[in-house]
Amino acid sequence: MPYVGLLYLVILVIALIDIINTDDALIRGMPKIAWVLLVVVLPLIGALLWLAFGRPTGEERRRPASGAASAYPEYDRPGRFIPADPEADREFLQQLRDRAEQQRQAAREQQRRTDDPEPGT
């Protein structure tokens, strides 16, 4: 019986460390800060609730990045929406990149015109 307090402390510490180390996008149920507060205010109940309901499942932790986003590394992040039609997502992302490049070129042209005074002025 003297080890019950130690077991209680171990469960609390494991839950807190797990919450802090888990990516925000993978946490289920509540935001990370709410889970931390729950575990601190109600240690045993909060820790058990975290382990049962808040912690990401093994599948969520191992989920590979979607094939559509592999060409766009800035979109590879845990918790990102996985499209039902990866080809449509790939086309959409390419359109965004093309538009951004057009805007960059227009800005460079405008900057060049303001930097270089026109001859004969």
Side-chain angles (χ1 to χ4, degrees), residues 53-113:
F53 301 110
R55 191 168 195 250
T57 62
E59 181 181 309
E60 290 170 337
R61 287 182 185 261
R62 287 188 304 260
R63 184 175 70 191
S66 73
S70 61
Y72 305 94
E74 62 268 24
Y75 297 107
D76 288 338
R77 68 177 194 282
R80 179 182 178 270
F81 173 75
I82 305 295
D85 182 8
E87 187 58 38
D89 189 51
R90 187 175 293 112
E91 290 171 14
F92 174 72
L93 294 174
Q94 186 60 48
Q95 289 172 357
L96 289 178
R97 279 216 170 150
D98 293 342
R99 183 172 175 214
E101 185 57 35
Q102 289 172 354
Q103 290 173 345
R104 280 189 217 104
Q105 286 177 351
R108 283 192 292 263
E109 287 296 321
Q110 185 178 8
Q111 184 67 33
R112 217 173 297 156
R113 278 182 284 199

Side-chain angles (χ1 to χ4, degrees), residues 22-28 32 56 60 63 77-80:
T22 301
D23 186 12
D24 291 352
L26 296 176
I27 293 179
R28 298 181 299 159
K32 183 185 282 193
E60 290 170 337
R63 184 175 70 191
R77 68 177 194 282
R80 179 182 178 270

